[in-house]
Amino acid sequence: MRLDGRVAIVTGGAGGIGRGIVRAFTDEGASVVFADINAEAGRALEQELPGRAKYVDIDIAQAGSAEKICAAAIETFGALHILVNNAHASRQAPLVDTTQEMFDLSFDTGFYPTVRLMQAAYPHLRETAGTVINFASGAGIEGQATQASYAAAKEAIRAVSRVAANEWAADNITVNVISPLALTEGVRAYIEANPGVEDAMLSRVPLRRFGDPQQDIGRVAVFLASADADYMTGQTLMVDGGTQKLR
Ligand SMILES: NC(=O)c1ccc[n+]([C@@H]2O[C@H](COP(=O)([O-])OP(=O)(O)OC[C@H]3O[C@@H](n4cnc5c(N)ncnc54)[C@H](O)[C@@H]3O)[C@@H](O)[C@H]2O)c1
């Protein structure tokens, strides 16, 4: 039980990697408040993990959501040790066709909620010498075609994570980033909309498979959230089967 007694927040916890992290964290003894906009899936996961996971039906793009999510963690479980900023929505288009709306979607669901939740969680994380796990993407690190709005927000998240790692080190708060590859609802939808993309993606993965949200990504998140990673901060972990980089 590597997370025994710890309380976590996970955004986008009702599906995909977020759900994998909720399951991996509770398996290791953590209590988790998870926010999502998919109420059906959220309530189903809450019922699967009675007393250990609480679903809050909160759109992280809305003003005031960060404070509400932190308040739910404190009211339900009494403290906050781990913040996982996982949810992020985006649309793809060539750069010349990328609209203000696409940038707004990506920054309003990815970058700004990550920053606002870090700010709202900071007083609580300072009390527990807690940790933050944010999410990046190879789309940003490599600058993948058609990903301008998503790539920009993801790299902005990495930049702010490094700043917070430096500023909050004095409080013993660590801040790290996972750049994952996993077969999730989001990736399935992307594959279905883009014939041939699955083979193209897997051809760059030496391990020749997509990661599993719980076993492959969730367990790395457990490591980062545990005392085993206390001497790591400001780092990006590539949890992507060794994906060979475009550049
Ligand atoms: N899956 C991958 O291979 C991959 C690759 C690179 C980066 N990532 C990143 O990992 C994270 C998880 O990805 P995923 O594939 O599990 O995504 P996903 O789309 O499968 O799941 C995202 C979850 O977030 C929720 N969500 C979306 N908008 C929300 C909002 N406004 N408020 C609250 N919840 C919201 C969704 O309902 C869903 O449950 C994201 O940050 C993503 O960018 C994933």
Side-chain angles (χ1 to χ4, degrees):
M1 288 293 185
R2 296 161 77 188
L3 302 180
D4 210 14
R6 302 216 183 179
V7 179
I9 286 171
V10 179
T11 65
I17 289 171
R19 182 172 52 208
I21 293 172
V22 173
R23 287 177 173 149
F25 276 10
T26 51
D27 273 358
E28 292 289 344
S31 305
V32 184
V33 165
F34 64 103
D36 209 292
I37 47 177
N38 184 341
E40 196 184 335
R43 301 213 189 288
L45 185 59
E46 189 180 61
Q47 280 173 15
E48 181 191 310
L49 304 164
R52 293 181 287 160
K54 179 175 175 56
Y55 172 64
V56 289
D57 195 38
I58 294 178
D59 180 345
I60 58 167
Q62 297 300 313
S65 59
E67 291 73 16
K68 281 187 202 151
I69 296 167
C70 287
I74 301 299
E75 278 163 25
T76 312
F77 297 119
L80 178 62
H81 304 79
I82 306 158
L83 169 63
V84 182
N85 286 302
N86 161 78
H88 196 154
S90 64
R91 283 167 54 205
Q92 289 71 43
L95 177 58
V96 290
D97 299 326
T98 301
T99 62
Q100 183 65 45
E101 279 168 0
M102 290 176 191
F103 277 109
D104 288 346
L105 174 68
S106 184
F107 277 79
D108 289 350
T109 61
F111 177 71
Y112 291 121
T114 295
V115 171
R116 283 196 294 261
L117 262 161
M118 289 171 74
Q119 291 171 327
Y122 173 69
H124 308 294
L125 296 176
R126 196 172 45 184
E127 279 178 27
T128 57
T131 193
V132 179
I133 302 171
N134 291 333
F135 271 81
S137 172
I141 292 166
E142 300 172 8
Q144 288 169 7
T146 76
Q147 299 280 13
S149 61
Y150 177 64
K154 283 303 198 197
E155 287 300 272
I157 288 171
R158 286 214 306 151
V160 162
S161 302
R162 290 192 293 269
V163 170
N166 289 326
E167 288 190 2
W168 297 352
D171 302 304
N172 281 319
I173 298 171
T174 56
V175 184
N176 291 293
V177 178
I178 292 175
S179 181
L181 178 67
L183 194 53
T184 62
E185 294 89 326
V187 169
R188 266 198 204 99
Y190 180 63
I191 286 170
E192 275 162 25
N194 298 279
V197 82
E198 181 174 10
D199 288 344
M201 286 169 84
L202 284 177
S203 71
R204 294 203 290 129
V205 184
L207 287 174
R208 285 288 183 266
R209 65 177 178 86
F210 288 104
D212 176 81
Q214 180 176 352
Q215 297 303 320
D216 295 316
I217 315 300
R219 284 178 8 184
V220 171
V222 166
F223 161 69
L224 283 178
S226 77
D228 291 343
D230 274 356
Y231 196 54
M232 281 182 64
T233 196
Q235 305 303 308
T236 298
L237 269 70
M238 306 303 296
V239 191
D240 61 2
T243 298
Q244 288 163 347
K245 304 294 171 275
L246 290 170
R247 48 180 298 120

